[in-house]
Amino acid sequence: MGQVKLIVSNWKMNLNLLNSKNLIDDILKIRHSESFKHIICPQHLLIPSISGLLRDSKIIIGAQDCHYEKNGAFTGDTGVDLLKDYDCEYVILGHSERRNYHKEDNKLIKKKVDLVISANLKPIICVGETITERKSNKYLEILGNQLDLCIPNKSEEIIIAYEPVWSIGTGLVPSYEEINEIYDFTDKFLKNKKMTRKLNFLYGGSINSENFKEIVNKTKVNGALIGGASLKTTEMKKILTFC
Ligand code: PEP
């Protein structure tokens, strides 16, 4: 068996208490392929109940974001210690929806990345270009900048999720060559920075059970970040049982 691939479910701001429990019930019945490690990232308020339901399973719980300070006067935010209290192991950071709607920039994302690592959690760092940036051929410059400013100085493993903004929720997926180009770019970037750390490179954007197999087989990715399809039992069953 090759390297175990990460499958990250990003539920975003979806599901209530009842239908999230129903989805977990269904997912727990699936006999996961041993090739995958499944991480589920629900809304913060769902984390306590979902964490309890996953306790005796191999599925891991993660968060969709956190604050860059451990605690303090930050109304409405969530700190890393509480995430750890509920067994979270991973935190998605720098998702384009947070960059866009919450105006998070690379500097702020880096602060979160550093805090998450110091708390012994693993950041899943999202990078990706807009359609305008891709069309103007500036995408490598943009991605290089995001990597440069968001990648931690310390940590043995780096998890990068390449999520082109134009692919998220649109049904548009880059070609295998385009995904591999960004894999090679990221790998070279880390080597140039003398970062000989393990790279876990995920792809995210309009993944479904149909395109998943091909993306995993025909590109160099080490896993996937899945939004819309992660809310559907039938889709997740096909994805998680594929080896
Ligand atoms: C995402 O937002 O992280 C994502 C990958 O969404 P979708 O799969 O719905 O495109």
Side-chain angles (χ1 to χ4, degrees), residues 167-184:
S167 178
I168 295 179
T170 59
L172 299 172
V173 176
S175 66
Y176 310 130
E177 293 74 23
E178 284 170 333
I179 295 174
N180 280 339
E181 181 192 29
I182 308 305
Y183 174 93
D184 290 337

Side-chain angles (χ1 to χ4, degrees), residues 11 14-27 40 42-43 45-47 49-50 53-54 231:
W11 285 0
N14 292 300
L15 304 177
N16 60 24
L17 194 52
L18 181 63
N19 49 35
S20 63
K21 284 181 176 171
N22 289 339
L23 180 56
I24 291 293
D25 277 350
D26 289 341
I27 285 178
I40 296 183
Q43 296 186 58
L45 268 179
L46 289 176
I47 287 177
S49 70
I50 303 300
L53 295 174
L54 295 180
L231 301 167

Side-chain angles (χ1 to χ4, degrees), residues 10 12 95 97 163 167-170 204-207 225-229:
N10 177 11
K12 310 195 186 192
H95 192 282
E97 284 151 15
E163 296 210 309
S167 178
I168 295 179
T170 59
S206 294
I207 286 201
L225 180 47
I226 308 176

